[in-house]
Amino acid sequence: MPIVVQKYGGSSVADVEKIRKVALRVKETRERGYQVVVVVSAMGDTTDELLALAKKVSPDPARRELDMLLTCGERISMALLSMALQELGVPAISFTGSQSGIITNDAHSQARIVEVRPYRIQDELEYGKVVIVAGYQGVSYKKEVTTLGRGGSDTTAVALAAALNAESCEIYSDVDGIFSADPRVVPEARKLETLSYDEMQELASAGAKVLNAQAVEFAKAKGIVILARTAHGQGRGTAVQEYVAPADTRVKGVTAEVEMAVLAASGAEVRLPELLEFLDARGVRGRALAFDGLLGREGRTFLAVPLQDVHGLDVLKRDVAARFGDAVSLQEEVGTVTAVGAGLNADWSYLRRALGVAEELGAKVHAVYTSPLQLTLLVDKAWLKPLTARLHREFLGT
C-alpha cells in the first residue's frame, strides 16, 4: 500500500473538535487505500505559551532546557489525535521525534536533521496502524532532545516522506495553498497552482509563513513534491516541485518580514568575521542585506536577524553593547519587503520600479539585497504593509 505523509499545523489541531475533524480526514485517507503517517504541531498557541512561561523564569533560557520544555506541545497533540482515531475504530500509535528515528545535530533550538531511521514507523505501518509523529523535534547523536526551529514540523514531514518513500507529502493549514502575498495584507493576492522549490524557499526565508525554508530545502534535495492544502475543505492547494521556469521574467510573490531586527556594524571599527563568530556562538542566524567595504573603503554592514528563534533578545542587546560598544547597533524598528521570481534581476527594471514605488510612498529604503530570485528592500516597519500591497500591485496587477 502506498504511504502518504500528512502534516497538520497548530491551528488545525487547536482544540478537541478540530482534532476530531483531523481524525476523520485521516480515516478517509486510510479508507482510500493508503498507509498514513501524520505529523502534528502543538495545539494553537501552546508553543508561545510555553515560551512565555520560560521567559518568566529566565530572560535568556538555556537552549537545552528550552527544547525539553517546548517539545511537550507536540506530544500533547500526537497523543490526543491517536486517541481520537482509536475512538473512530482506527488503530493508531503516537511517537515522539526520537522514537520516530529523527536524528539531528546538537544545535539546540535550531537543529538540522542529519538522518532518519524510521524503523518503528515502518513496523507499525505493517501492523495496519496510523502513525502519528510529534513534529518540530528529534534527538541528537548525543541522545539529547532537540527542536528544529519555528515551522520545523514541516521539515519533520518532508524528512519522513523521503525516508519512507511516500507517494506524497501534504501540508495542511487554514488556507488553501500558497498565495502571491498574505491575503490579510493584500486582498487581491492570487493562489498559486505551482511553485518551484527555489521560489518557495526564497519566499519562506523572506518571511512567508506557509512553509518552512529548511523543509523546502530538504524536499528539493530528496525530490519530494509538497502539496500545501487547507485542512477545512477539499481545495487543490499548491504544489511545490521542481520545474523549468518560464522564459519571461515575472514575480511570483511579495512578502514582508516583521519579526526581525537588523545589526548594523561599522566596517572601520568591527571586523566582519569577528561579528559573525560572535553571532554563531549565540546561535543567531541571519542574512546579509548590504556589505559596503570594496575598493579599500571601510563601509557598513547590515545583517538581518529573524527573531522567531532568538529567545533572549534583551540579553543579546546587552552582549552586543558590551562587546562592540557603539560600533554595532541592533535596530528593531525596521523590516523587509521581498519580491520573489525567476529572472527577477535579469535587468534593473524591477529594482528601478521597486525603488520608485517606495519613493512615491515616502518610504525610506535603508538597504537593498538582490539575488537571481529575490529583491529585498529594508524599510521602517510602519511601511511594510503599504509597500507590500503597492509592490504586489506594481508587479502582479490587481
Side-chain angles (χ1 to χ4, degrees):
M1 295 171 64
I3 297 173
V4 169
V5 176
Q6 297 181 337
K7 178 262 178 177
Y8 293 90
S11 60
S12 301
V13 292
D15 55 43
V16 170
E17 194 55 42
K18 288 185 176 181
I19 288 174
R20 288 196 177 108
K21 290 180 179 178
V22 167
L24 285 170
R25 182 183 283 271
V26 172
K27 180 182 179 182
E28 291 168 2
T29 304
R30 186 171 181 269
E31 289 173 347
R32 294 202 308 268
Y34 290 97
Q35 295 177 306
V36 187
V37 176
V38 182
V39 175
V40 288
S41 298
M43 297 174 65
D45 297 324
T46 300
T47 300
D48 289 334
E49 292 167 0
L50 291 172
L51 186 55
L53 191 62
K55 292 291 183 67
K56 290 181 180 179
V57 175
S58 168
D60 188 22
R63 297 301 184 263
R64 179 190 183 276
E65 307 310 327
L66 200 57
D67 280 358
M68 295 292 283
L69 176 66
L70 296 183
T71 51
C72 295
E74 283 70 22
R75 292 176 66 176
I76 294 170
S77 298
M78 75 182 195
L80 291 175
L81 181 56
S82 181
M83 295 173 193
L85 282 164
Q86 291 176 45
E87 281 296 303
L88 294 174
V90 177
I93 188 170
S94 62
F95 286 149
T96 65
S98 59
Q99 289 174 318
S100 303
I102 296 172
I103 313 301
T104 74
N105 61 15
D106 64 348
H108 285 290
S109 294
Q110 299 184 61
R112 294 180 67 87
I113 296 174
V114 296
E115 186 181 358
V116 180
R117 304 169 184 170
Y119 309 124
R120 291 193 68 183
I121 293 176
Q122 291 168 326
D123 286 346
E124 297 298 338
L125 289 175
E126 288 299 314
Y127 296 148
K129 294 181 181 179
V130 170
V131 179
I132 301 102
V133 176
Y136 175 63
Q137 61 187 260
V139 62
S140 76
Y141 51 85
K142 295 179 180 178
K143 304 298 182 185
E144 292 282 347
V145 172
T146 56
T147 61
L148 308 177
R150 283 302 180 95
S153 294
D154 293 348
T155 309
T156 302
V158 173
L160 287 175
L164 295 166
N165 195 28
E167 182 175 289
S168 63
C169 180
E170 302 169 354
I171 307 292
Y172 288 93
S173 67
D174 283 343
V175 294
D176 183 27
I178 299 160
F179 287 73
S180 56
D182 185 340
R184 294 168 298 182
V185 177
V186 184
E188 64 268 27
R190 310 166 185 172
K191 194 188 82 170
L192 304 170
E193 298 300 323
T194 60
L195 270 175
S196 72
Y197 294 123
D198 291 336
E199 289 167 339
M200 186 65 247
Q201 192 169 358
E202 294 280 0
L203 283 169
S205 65
K209 306 300 183 186
V210 183
L211 282 175
N212 175 274
Q214 186 186 156
V216 181
E217 176 188 335
F218 208 104
K220 179 182 178 181
K222 303 297 183 180
I224 301 295
V225 176
I226 301 175
L227 302 175
R229 292 174 169 169
T230 176
H232 309 300
Q234 301 297 324
R236 294 179 57 187
T238 301
V240 180
Q241 59 193 28
E242 192 65 67
Y243 71 95
V244 178
D248 60 320
T249 59
R250 53 178 177 162
V251 173
K252 284 296 185 68
V254 181
T255 188
E257 177 63 274
V258 180
E259 297 177 44
M260 63 165 289
V262 167
L263 281 167
S266 169
E269 302 177 53
V270 179
R271 293 178 59 252
L272 183 56
E274 180 184 3
L275 176 60
L276 297 178
E277 182 180 9
F278 170 86
L279 296 175
D280 267 341
R282 287 156 181 78
V284 177
R285 306 290 182 257
R287 55 189 173 122
L289 282 171
F291 176 57
D292 176 21
L294 297 177
L295 303 177
R297 294 184 297 115
E298 296 292 353
R300 289 179 65 81
T301 298
F302 295 95
L303 299 175
V305 177
L307 296 179
Q308 57 186 2
D309 292 314
V310 176
H311 300 304
L313 183 59
D314 290 338
V315 175
L316 177 62
K317 289 179 183 177
R318 183 196 67 196
D319 291 349
V320 167
R323 176 71 174 272
F324 301 105
D326 295 335
V328 176
S329 63
L330 196 151
Q331 303 171 21
E332 298 177 72
E333 70 278 4
V334 292
T336 57
V337 177
T338 300
V340 170
L344 186 65
N345 294 301
D347 56 40
W348 297 115
S349 62
Y350 281 98
L351 177 57
R352 205 163 19 85
R353 291 160 65 190
L355 293 173
V357 167
E359 185 176 2
E360 287 175 16
L361 284 174
K364 182 179 179 181
V365 177
H366 300 291
V368 173
Y369 170 80
T370 63
S371 75
L373 287 169
Q374 183 184 131
L375 189 163
T376 295
L377 304 182
L378 179 71
V379 297
D380 293 337
K381 284 184 177 175
W383 292 106
L384 292 180
K385 288 185 178 180
L387 185 56
T388 299
R390 283 289 300 277
L391 285 181
H392 187 279
R393 192 177 309 131
E394 175 72 20
F395 295 152
L396 290 104
T398 56

